[in-house]
Amino acid sequence: MARRLDYSARYPLHTTKELYAALSNRDYWEARVNEMRKYSDNEVVSHQVNDSGIEIVLHHILPREMLPEVAQAVMRKDMVITRKESYGLFNEEEIVGKYSASIPAGPGSLGGTIRLFATDTGCTARFSSEAKVFIPMVGPRLEQLMLVNLVDLFRAEAEETVRWLEAQNPTS
């Protein structure tokens, strides 16, 4: 059985247009990945902006010894996570996207939708995620662990995004 989680990253005093411009800019992604290197190896594999929107592929590499014991029991080497994000074309009302994270020969899946929309105080990115692990007995524990760590990741990325937006479009 899959577990689900919603997380909202709020960007006060910044518009969806500013956020979309950041997502369209490879320098933003490089800055975000550089910040995440404090925790593990990361890289921007590809970044494309075209007539259908934005597509990004990232690699997150987690050394096996950093994984919780329950995950080490399943993973025999470093965990290489390929994360893909895509966003539709800019729209004043709402921009819809999706993301997925995969591990070669991994025992499950993680993915969801992303909605970017304006609020009274700025804009919000809402992630609706689903984690599935296909291992009897430990599956539910791993799913919960994935979602808890995902919230930590989203929070850290949102903090970096706020820094980027403030540097590009100061509000004070």
Side-chain angles (χ1 to χ4, degrees):
M1 187 166 114
R3 292 185 185 258
R4 292 176 172 72
L5 175 82
D6 288 334
Y7 176 81
S8 294
R10 291 175 178 80
Y11 304 102
L13 307 177
H14 292 285
T15 66
T16 53
K17 187 174 185 176
E18 291 170 343
L19 180 56
Y20 194 84
L23 296 170
S24 298
N25 186 330
R26 185 173 180 118
D27 290 341
Y28 158 76
W29 289 98
E30 293 291 349
R32 195 169 105 173
V33 161
N34 191 47
E35 181 65 21
M36 294 298 104
R37 283 189 188 117
K38 291 179 182 177
Y39 310 103
S40 67
D41 240 359
N42 292 277
E43 70 174 315
V44 177
V45 176
S46 68
H47 176 262
Q48 295 181 336
V49 179
N50 56 38
D51 293 343
S52 59
I54 305 166
E55 293 184 17
I56 304 99
V57 178
L58 307 170
H59 276 171
H60 302 285
I61 302 165
L62 302 176
R64 184 175 182 272
E65 60 272 4
M66 287 181 62
L67 300 174
E69 283 184 34
V70 68
Q72 287 184 27
V74 177
M75 301 299 296
R76 296 293 173 210
K77 50 187 174 176
D78 292 350
M79 183 184 299
V80 179
I81 302 167
T82 299
R83 180 167 158 195
K84 297 178 182 180
E85 289 187 31
S86 64
Y87 299 87
L89 293 174
F90 179 76
N91 178 324
E92 291 286 342
E93 298 295 315
E94 179 178 79
I95 298 123
V96 178
K98 61 183 177 179
Y99 83 94
S100 65
S102 61
I103 303 164
S109 64
L110 177 64
T113 60
I114 309 165
R115 293 177 41 239
L116 310 177
F117 55 91
T119 64
D120 291 340
T121 60
C123 69
T124 294
R126 178 160 301 134
F127 296 82
S128 296
S129 303
E130 181 179 272
K132 293 182 194 175
V133 175
F134 310 111
I135 301 174
M137 306 299 280
V138 297
R141 287 180 55 203
L142 286 173
E143 290 167 354
Q144 187 62 33
L145 183 65
M146 289 165 64
L147 293 174
V148 166
N149 286 318
L150 188 63
V151 167
D152 291 342
L153 176 67
F154 285 160
R155 187 175 294 126
E157 290 174 344
E159 289 171 5
E160 180 57 28
T161 300
V162 167
R163 281 192 286 276
W164 174 270
L165 291 172
E166 275 298 310
Q168 305 304 308
N169 308 288
T171 57
S172 53

PDB file of all heavy atoms in Angstrom, residues 29-43 59-63 66 152-153 156-157 159-160 163:
ATOM      1  N   TRP A  29      19.200  26.280 -10.820  1.00  0.00           N
ATOM      2  CA  TRP A  29      19.332  24.849 -10.498  1.00  0.00           C
ATOM      3  C   TRP A  29      20.744  24.529 -10.016  1.00  0.00           C
ATOM      4  O   TRP A  29      20.920  23.752  -9.084  1.00  0.00           O
ATOM      5  CB  TRP A  29      18.941  23.994 -11.698  1.00  0.00           C
ATOM      6  CG  TRP A  29      17.472  24.059 -11.941  1.00  0.00           C
ATOM      7  CD1 TRP A  29      16.817  24.855 -12.842  1.00  0.00           C
ATOM      8  CD2 TRP A  29      16.459  23.345 -11.233  1.00  0.00           C
ATOM      9  NE1 TRP A  29      15.466  24.664 -12.737  1.00  0.00           N
ATOM     10  CE2 TRP A  29      15.210  23.743 -11.765  1.00  0.00           C
ATOM     11  CE3 TRP A  29      16.481  22.402 -10.216  1.00  0.00           C
ATOM     12  CZ2 TRP A  29      14.007  23.228 -11.299  1.00  0.00           C
ATOM     13  CZ3 TRP A  29      15.280  21.885  -9.754  1.00  0.00           C
ATOM     14  CH2 TRP A  29      14.058  22.302 -10.304  1.00  0.00           C
ATOM     15  N   GLU A  30      21.741  25.145 -10.655  1.00  0.00           N
ATOM     16  CA  GLU A  30      23.132  24.917 -10.223  1.00  0.00           C
ATOM     17  C   GLU A  30      23.338  25.430  -8.800  1.00  0.00           C
ATOM     18  O   GLU A  30      23.995  24.773  -7.987  1.00  0.00           O
ATOM     19  CB  GLU A  30      24.120  25.573 -11.193  1.00  0.00           C
ATOM     20  CG  GLU A  30      24.156  24.940 -12.570  1.00  0.00           C
ATOM     21  CD  GLU A  30      24.756  23.538 -12.618  1.00  0.00           C
ATOM     22  OE1 GLU A  30      25.361  23.073 -11.623  1.00  0.00           O
ATOM     23  OE2 GLU A  30      24.613  22.880 -13.672  1.00  0.00           O
ATOM     24  N   ALA A  31      22.769  26.585  -8.473  1.00  0.00           N
ATOM     25  CA  ALA A  31      22.886  27.134  -7.119  1.00  0.00           C
ATOM     26  C   ALA A  31      22.181  26.225  -6.115  1.00  0.00           C
ATOM     27  O   ALA A  31      22.694  25.972  -5.018  1.00  0.00           O
ATOM     28  CB  ALA A  31      22.304  28.542  -7.069  1.00  0.00           C
ATOM     29  N   ARG A  32      21.014  25.720  -6.484  1.00  0.00           N
ATOM     30  CA  ARG A  32      20.254  24.845  -5.593  1.00  0.00           C
ATOM     31  C   ARG A  32      21.005  23.536  -5.346  1.00  0.00           C
ATOM     32  O   ARG A  32      21.130  23.075  -4.212  1.00  0.00           O
ATOM     33  CB  ARG A  32      18.881  24.572  -6.195  1.00  0.00           C
ATOM     34  CG  ARG A  32      17.911  24.001  -5.200  1.00  0.00           C
ATOM     35  CD  ARG A  32      16.522  23.997  -5.751  1.00  0.00           C
ATOM     36  NE  ARG A  32      16.170  22.642  -6.126  1.00  0.00           N
ATOM     37  CZ  ARG A  32      14.961  22.280  -6.516  1.00  0.00           C
ATOM     38  NH1 ARG A  32      14.004  23.172  -6.640  1.00  0.00           N
ATOM     39  NH2 ARG A  32      14.707  21.029  -6.824  1.00  0.00           N
ATOM     40  N   VAL A  33      21.540  22.958  -6.414  1.00  0.00           N
ATOM     41  CA  VAL A  33      22.300  21.705  -6.289  1.00  0.00           C
ATOM     42  C   VAL A  33      23.574  21.954  -5.482  1.00  0.00           C
ATOM     43  O   VAL A  33      23.956  21.127  -4.648  1.00  0.00           O
ATOM     44  CB  VAL A  33      22.604  21.124  -7.687  1.00  0.00           C
ATOM     45  CG1 VAL A  33      23.726  20.125  -7.653  1.00  0.00           C
ATOM     46  CG2 VAL A  33      21.353  20.493  -8.259  1.00  0.00           C
ATOM     47  N   ASN A  34      24.215  23.083  -5.705  1.00  0.00           N
ATOM     48  CA  ASN A  34      25.420  23.409  -4.949  1.00  0.00           C
ATOM     49  C   ASN A  34      25.119  23.473  -3.449  1.00  0.00           C
ATOM     50  O   ASN A  34      25.889  22.969  -2.626  1.00  0.00           O
ATOM     51  CB  ASN A  34      26.014  24.731  -5.428  1.00  0.00           C
ATOM     52  CG  ASN A  34      27.396  24.958  -4.862  1.00  0.00           C
ATOM     53  OD1 ASN A  34      28.240  24.072  -4.894  1.00  0.00           O
ATOM     54  ND2 ASN A  34      27.615  26.160  -4.362  1.00  0.00           N
ATOM     55  N   GLU A  35      23.997  24.051  -3.084  1.00  0.00           N
ATOM     56  CA  GLU A  35      23.588  24.101  -1.676  1.00  0.00           C
ATOM     57  C   GLU A  35      23.341  22.689  -1.143  1.00  0.00           C
ATOM     58  O   GLU A  35      23.715  22.368  -0.010  1.00  0.00           O
ATOM     59  CB  GLU A  35      22.336  24.961  -1.532  1.00  0.00           C
ATOM     60  CG  GLU A  35      21.843  25.101  -0.124  1.00  0.00           C
ATOM     61  CD  GLU A  35      22.787  25.830   0.818  1.00  0.00           C
ATOM     62  OE1 GLU A  35      23.669  26.588   0.352  1.00  0.00           O
ATOM     63  OE2 GLU A  35      22.657  25.626   2.037  1.00  0.00           O
ATOM     64  N   MET A  36      22.736  21.828  -1.937  1.00  0.00           N
ATOM     65  CA  MET A  36      22.421  20.468  -1.496  1.00  0.00           C
ATOM     66  C   MET A  36      23.678  19.602  -1.388  1.00  0.00           C
ATOM     67  O   MET A  36      23.669  18.573  -0.722  1.00  0.00           O
ATOM     68  CB  MET A  36      21.422  19.805  -2.448  1.00  0.00           C
ATOM     69  CG  MET A  36      20.040  20.461  -2.466  1.00  0.00           C
ATOM     70  SD  MET A  36      19.197  20.412  -0.874  1.00  0.00           S
ATOM     71  CE  MET A  36      19.389  22.089  -0.318  1.00  0.00           C
ATOM     72  N   ARG A  37      24.783  20.039  -1.992  1.00  0.00           N
ATOM     73  CA  ARG A  37      26.041  19.283  -1.879  1.00  0.00           C
ATOM     74  C   ARG A  37      26.573  19.277  -0.454  1.00  0.00           C
ATOM     75  O   ARG A  37      27.452  18.482  -0.130  1.00  0.00           O
ATOM     76  CB  ARG A  37      27.090  19.846  -2.838  1.00  0.00           C
ATOM     77  CG  ARG A  37      26.857  19.435  -4.257  1.00  0.00           C
ATOM     78  CD  ARG A  37      28.031  19.805  -5.183  1.00  0.00           C
ATOM     79  NE  ARG A  37      27.645  19.541  -6.549  1.00  0.00           N
ATOM     80  CZ  ARG A  37      27.542  20.470  -7.492  1.00  0.00           C
ATOM     81  NH1 ARG A  37      27.852  21.721  -7.232  1.00  0.00           N
ATOM     82  NH2 ARG A  37      27.172  20.135  -8.714  1.00  0.00           N
ATOM     83  N   LYS A  38      26.040  20.138   0.399  1.00  0.00           N
ATOM     84  CA  LYS A  38      26.416  20.101   1.814  1.00  0.00           C
ATOM     85  C   LYS A  38      26.025  18.766   2.436  1.00  0.00           C
ATOM     86  O   LYS A  38      26.608  18.342   3.419  1.00  0.00           O
ATOM     87  CB  LYS A  38      25.711  21.217   2.582  1.00  0.00           C
ATOM     88  CG  LYS A  38      26.178  22.597   2.250  1.00  0.00           C
ATOM     89  CD  LYS A  38      25.382  23.619   3.047  1.00  0.00           C
ATOM     90  CE  LYS A  38      25.791  25.032   2.712  1.00  0.00           C
ATOM     91  NZ  LYS A  38      24.952  26.008   3.435  1.00  0.00           N
ATOM     92  N   TYR A  39      25.012  18.123   1.862  1.00  0.00           N
ATOM     93  CA  TYR A  39      24.474  16.889   2.419  1.00  0.00           C
ATOM     94  C   TYR A  39      24.929  15.648   1.664  1.00  0.00           C
ATOM     95  O   TYR A  39      25.111  14.606   2.253  1.00  0.00           O
ATOM     96  CB  TYR A  39      22.943  16.956   2.445  1.00  0.00           C
ATOM     97  CG  TYR A  39      22.452  18.226   3.086  1.00  0.00           C
ATOM     98  CD1 TYR A  39      21.971  19.272   2.319  1.00  0.00           C
ATOM     99  CD2 TYR A  39      22.510  18.394   4.466  1.00  0.00           C
ATOM    100  CE1 TYR A  39      21.540  20.458   2.918  1.00  0.00           C
ATOM    101  CE2 TYR A  39      22.091  19.573   5.064  1.00  0.00           C
ATOM    102  CZ  TYR A  39      21.610  20.602   4.279  1.00  0.00           C
ATOM    103  OH  TYR A  39      21.201  21.770   4.856  1.00  0.00           O
ATOM    104  N   SER A  40      25.062  15.755   0.343  1.00  0.00           N
ATOM    105  CA  SER A  40      25.501  14.618  -0.467  1.00  0.00           C
ATOM    106  C   SER A  40      25.866  15.116  -1.861  1.00  0.00           C
ATOM    107  O   SER A  40      25.593  16.253  -2.217  1.00  0.00           O
ATOM    108  CB  SER A  40      24.404  13.551  -0.561  1.00  0.00           C
ATOM    109  OG  SER A  40      23.301  14.048  -1.294  1.00  0.00           O
ATOM    110  N   ASP A  41      26.467  14.227  -2.633  1.00  0.00           N
ATOM    111  CA  ASP A  41      26.816  14.544  -4.015  1.00  0.00           C
ATOM    112  C   ASP A  41      25.541  14.771  -4.826  1.00  0.00           C
ATOM    113  O   ASP A  41      24.594  13.990  -4.735  1.00  0.00           O
ATOM    114  CB  ASP A  41      27.582  13.367  -4.625  1.00  0.00           C
ATOM    115  CG  ASP A  41      28.963  13.762  -5.077  1.00  0.00           C
ATOM    116  OD1 ASP A  41      29.318  14.942  -4.942  1.00  0.00           O
ATOM    117  OD2 ASP A  41      29.683  12.879  -5.559  1.00  0.00           O
ATOM    118  N   ASN A  42      25.518  15.823  -5.601  1.00  0.00           N
ATOM    119  CA  ASN A  42      24.373  16.156  -6.440  1.00  0.00           C
ATOM    120  C   ASN A  42      24.867  16.784  -7.726  1.00  0.00           C
ATOM    121  O   ASN A  42      25.926  17.403  -7.747  1.00  0.00           O
ATOM    122  CB  ASN A  42      23.467  17.183  -5.739  1.00  0.00           C
ATOM    123  CG  ASN A  42      22.762  16.625  -4.534  1.00  0.00           C
ATOM    124  OD1 ASN A  42      21.743  15.996  -4.678  1.00  0.00           O
ATOM    125  ND2 ASN A  42      23.303  16.852  -3.345  1.00  0.00           N
ATOM    126  N   GLU A  43      24.081  16.634  -8.786  1.00  0.00           N
ATOM    127  CA  GLU A  43      24.437  17.309 -10.034  1.00  0.00           C
ATOM    128  C   GLU A  43      23.198  17.525 -10.894  1.00  0.00           C
ATOM    129  O   GLU A  43      22.226  16.782 -10.811  1.00  0.00           O
ATOM    130  CB  GLU A  43      25.476  16.511 -10.824  1.00  0.00           C
ATOM    131  CG  GLU A  43      24.957  15.223 -11.414  1.00  0.00           C
ATOM    132  CD  GLU A  43      25.972  14.530 -12.306  1.00  0.00           C
ATOM    133  OE1 GLU A  43      26.606  15.201 -13.138  1.00  0.00           O
ATOM    134  OE2 GLU A  43      26.114  13.315 -12.168  1.00  0.00           O
ATOM    135  N   HIS A  59      20.743  14.282 -10.322  1.00  0.00           N
ATOM    136  CA  HIS A  59      21.220  13.085  -9.630  1.00  0.00           C
ATOM    137  C   HIS A  59      21.558  13.461  -8.198  1.00  0.00           C
ATOM    138  O   HIS A  59      22.259  14.441  -7.957  1.00  0.00           O
ATOM    139  CB  HIS A  59      22.481  12.515 -10.285  1.00  0.00           C
ATOM    140  CG  HIS A  59      22.202  11.633 -11.447  1.00  0.00           C
ATOM    141  ND1 HIS A  59      23.194  11.168 -12.267  1.00  0.00           N
ATOM    142  CD2 HIS A  59      21.057  11.126 -11.941  1.00  0.00           C
ATOM    143  CE1 HIS A  59      22.665  10.410 -13.218  1.00  0.00           C
ATOM    144  NE2 HIS A  59      21.369  10.387 -13.030  1.00  0.00           N
ATOM    145  N   HIS A  60      21.041  12.677  -7.257  1.00  0.00           N
ATOM    146  CA  HIS A  60      21.397  12.772  -5.847  1.00  0.00           C
ATOM    147  C   HIS A  60      22.097  11.459  -5.508  1.00  0.00           C
ATOM    148  O   HIS A  60      21.553  10.393  -5.767  1.00  0.00           O
ATOM    149  CB  HIS A  60      20.157  12.906  -4.955  1.00  0.00           C
ATOM    150  CG  HIS A  60      19.298  14.080  -5.270  1.00  0.00           C
ATOM    151  ND1 HIS A  60      19.635  15.365  -4.934  1.00  0.00           N
ATOM    152  CD2 HIS A  60      18.090  14.166  -5.881  1.00  0.00           C
ATOM    153  CE1 HIS A  60      18.679  16.189  -5.323  1.00  0.00           C
ATOM    154  NE2 HIS A  60      17.735  15.485  -5.907  1.00  0.00           N
ATOM    155  N   ILE A  61      23.281  11.550  -4.943  1.00  0.00           N
ATOM    156  CA  ILE A  61      24.026  10.339  -4.601  1.00  0.00           C
ATOM    157  C   ILE A  61      24.196  10.292  -3.080  1.00  0.00           C
ATOM    158  O   ILE A  61      24.819  11.173  -2.487  1.00  0.00           O
ATOM    159  CB  ILE A  61      25.396  10.313  -5.308  1.00  0.00           C
ATOM    160  CG1 ILE A  61      25.175  10.403  -6.823  1.00  0.00           C
ATOM    161  CG2 ILE A  61      26.177   9.048  -4.927  1.00  0.00           C
ATOM    162  CD1 ILE A  61      26.405  10.738  -7.618  1.00  0.00           C
ATOM    163  N   LEU A  62      23.608   9.273  -2.476  1.00  0.00           N
ATOM    164  CA  LEU A  62      23.690   9.102  -1.025  1.00  0.00           C
ATOM    165  C   LEU A  62      24.597   7.921  -0.712  1.00  0.00           C
ATOM    166  O   LEU A  62      24.300   6.787  -1.094  1.00  0.00           O
ATOM    167  CB  LEU A  62      22.297   8.844  -0.448  1.00  0.00           C
ATOM    168  CG  LEU A  62      21.258   9.923  -0.717  1.00  0.00           C
ATOM    169  CD1 LEU A  62      19.904   9.488  -0.180  1.00  0.00           C
ATOM    170  CD2 LEU A  62      21.677  11.233  -0.100  1.00  0.00           C
ATOM    171  N   PRO A  63      25.711   8.174  -0.015  1.00  0.00           N
ATOM    172  CA  PRO A  63      26.582   7.058   0.360  1.00  0.00           C
ATOM    173  C   PRO A  63      25.826   6.045   1.216  1.00  0.00           C
ATOM    174  O   PRO A  63      25.020   6.418   2.072  1.00  0.00           O
ATOM    175  CB  PRO A  63      27.695   7.733   1.168  1.00  0.00           C
ATOM    176  CG  PRO A  63      27.652   9.169   0.761  1.00  0.00           C
ATOM    177  CD  PRO A  63      26.216   9.454   0.432  1.00  0.00           C
ATOM    178  N   MET A  66      25.420   6.443   4.914  1.00  0.00           N
ATOM    179  CA  MET A  66      24.535   7.508   5.407  1.00  0.00           C
ATOM    180  C   MET A  66      23.075   7.051   5.484  1.00  0.00           C
ATOM    181  O   MET A  66      22.251   7.729   6.081  1.00  0.00           O
ATOM    182  CB  MET A  66      24.620   8.744   4.496  1.00  0.00           C
ATOM    183  CG  MET A  66      25.903   9.520   4.621  1.00  0.00           C
ATOM    184  SD  MET A  66      25.924  10.968   3.534  1.00  0.00           S
ATOM    185  CE  MET A  66      24.547  11.920   4.154  1.00  0.00           C
ATOM    186  N   ASP A 152      12.151  17.024   4.451  1.00  0.00           N
ATOM    187  CA  ASP A 152      13.396  17.718   4.788  1.00  0.00           C
ATOM    188  C   ASP A 152      14.062  18.271   3.527  1.00  0.00           C
ATOM    189  O   ASP A 152      14.555  19.404   3.524  1.00  0.00           O
ATOM    190  CB  ASP A 152      14.361  16.788   5.519  1.00  0.00           C
ATOM    191  CG  ASP A 152      13.884  16.420   6.919  1.00  0.00           C
ATOM    192  OD1 ASP A 152      13.004  17.125   7.462  1.00  0.00           O
ATOM    193  OD2 ASP A 152      14.379  15.408   7.453  1.00  0.00           O
ATOM    194  N   LEU A 153      14.081  17.483   2.462  1.00  0.00           N
ATOM    195  CA  LEU A 153      14.671  17.920   1.199  1.00  0.00           C
ATOM    196  C   LEU A 153      13.894  19.100   0.625  1.00  0.00           C
ATOM    197  O   LEU A 153      14.478  20.118   0.242  1.00  0.00           O
ATOM    198  CB  LEU A 153      14.701  16.765   0.196  1.00  0.00           C
ATOM    199  CG  LEU A 153      15.211  17.110  -1.202  1.00  0.00           C
ATOM    200  CD1 LEU A 153      16.694  17.458  -1.171  1.00  0.00           C
ATOM    201  CD2 LEU A 153      14.942  15.958  -2.161  1.00  0.00           C
ATOM    202  N   ALA A 156      14.624  22.289   2.606  1.00  0.00           N
ATOM    203  CA  ALA A 156      15.948  22.855   2.316  1.00  0.00           C
ATOM    204  C   ALA A 156      15.970  23.496   0.930  1.00  0.00           C
ATOM    205  O   ALA A 156      16.539  24.579   0.745  1.00  0.00           O
ATOM    206  CB  ALA A 156      17.020  21.766   2.420  1.00  0.00           C
ATOM    207  N   GLU A 157      15.345  22.846  -0.044  1.00  0.00           N
ATOM    208  CA  GLU A 157      15.298  23.420  -1.391  1.00  0.00           C
ATOM    209  C   GLU A 157      14.476  24.715  -1.412  1.00  0.00           C
ATOM    210  O   GLU A 157      14.832  25.660  -2.114  1.00  0.00           O
ATOM    211  CB  GLU A 157      14.732  22.401  -2.377  1.00  0.00           C
ATOM    212  CG  GLU A 157      15.671  21.252  -2.633  1.00  0.00           C
ATOM    213  CD  GLU A 157      15.079  20.151  -3.492  1.00  0.00           C
ATOM    214  OE1 GLU A 157      13.845  20.085  -3.674  1.00  0.00           O
ATOM    215  OE2 GLU A 157      15.876  19.327  -3.988  1.00  0.00           O
ATOM    216  N   GLU A 159      14.161  26.835   1.055  1.00  0.00           N
ATOM    217  CA  GLU A 159      14.992  27.882   1.660  1.00  0.00           C
ATOM    218  C   GLU A 159      15.985  28.439   0.640  1.00  0.00           C
ATOM    219  O   GLU A 159      16.196  29.652   0.565  1.00  0.00           O
ATOM    220  CB  GLU A 159      15.723  27.333   2.883  1.00  0.00           C
ATOM    221  CG  GLU A 159      14.816  27.074   4.061  1.00  0.00           C
ATOM    222  CD  GLU A 159      15.495  26.327   5.195  1.00  0.00           C
ATOM    223  OE1 GLU A 159      16.730  26.081   5.126  1.00  0.00           O
ATOM    224  OE2 GLU A 159      14.786  25.973   6.157  1.00  0.00           O
ATOM    225  N   GLU A 160      16.589  27.570  -0.139  1.00  0.00           N
ATOM    226  CA  GLU A 160      17.525  28.023  -1.175  1.00  0.00           C
ATOM    227  C   GLU A 160      16.782  28.815  -2.253  1.00  0.00           C
ATOM    228  O   GLU A 160      17.292  29.812  -2.768  1.00  0.00           O
ATOM    229  CB  GLU A 160      18.271  26.841  -1.794  1.00  0.00           C
ATOM    230  CG  GLU A 160      19.265  27.230  -2.872  1.00  0.00           C
ATOM    231  CD  GLU A 160      20.333  28.224  -2.417  1.00  0.00           C
ATOM    232  OE1 GLU A 160      20.673  28.250  -1.219  1.00  0.00           O
ATOM    233  OE2 GLU A 160      20.826  28.989  -3.271  1.00  0.00           O
ATOM    234  N   ARG A 163      16.219  32.306  -1.052  1.00  0.00           N
ATOM    235  CA  ARG A 163      17.461  33.077  -1.177  1.00  0.00           C
ATOM    236  C   ARG A 163      17.683  33.517  -2.623  1.00  0.00           C
ATOM    237  O   ARG A 163      18.054  34.662  -2.890  1.00  0.00           O
ATOM    238  CB  ARG A 163      18.662  32.253  -0.683  1.00  0.00           C
ATOM    239  CG  ARG A 163      18.797  32.222   0.815  1.00  0.00           C
ATOM    240  CD  ARG A 163      20.149  31.662   1.259  1.00  0.00           C
ATOM    241  NE  ARG A 163      20.246  30.220   1.102  1.00  0.00           N
ATOM    242  CZ  ARG A 163      19.801  29.341   1.977  1.00  0.00           C
ATOM    243  NH1 ARG A 163      19.223  29.758   3.083  1.00  0.00           N
ATOM    244  NH2 ARG A 163      19.937  28.057   1.775  1.00  0.00           N
TER     245      ARG A 163
END
